[in-house]
Amino acid sequence: MATTRKWFIRNIAAVQWREFPNHHGGALSKPLVMPETAGAQHIDYRISMYQPMAHVKLHRHKGQEQVYHVIEGEGLMEIDGEKHVVRKHDFIFLPPGIDHSIENTGLVDLVFLVVNGAGDRRRKSLTGIVRGGNAGR
């Protein structure tokens, strides 16, 4: 028997902060809508807050598109080998297979939204470090 998915309204305060694999130094996220939290099949939506010096290691997603939307703070995002300053109101689109990382190089928390589209939806989509043992740092 198929499970019926239902709509919901939740408050962000009810969702715990998590530090996902390969996220370091206070790189925290609240998984708001994803398969594990909402039964979502086509989207992964989270808010992230990185303390100064926090980062995620350089990685790629095999089959997922991603959008980052910076809400507060500033940091450095590496995309396909190039480093870019990102700050409040910037939004970044990443097609599948693009190496990327993000690091808070600012003085205050870097807060951003992340939306992952359909594709290789499982956490296995993170191919991990793409350049040696400490890529992205």
Side-chain angles (χ1 to χ4, degrees), residues 18-40:
R18 290 175 51 189
E19 190 167 79
F20 285 91
N22 293 317
H23 293 68
H24 304 283
L28 304 173
S29 294
K30 286 190 176 220
L32 303 175
V33 177
M34 57 193 307
E36 301 87 52
T37 62

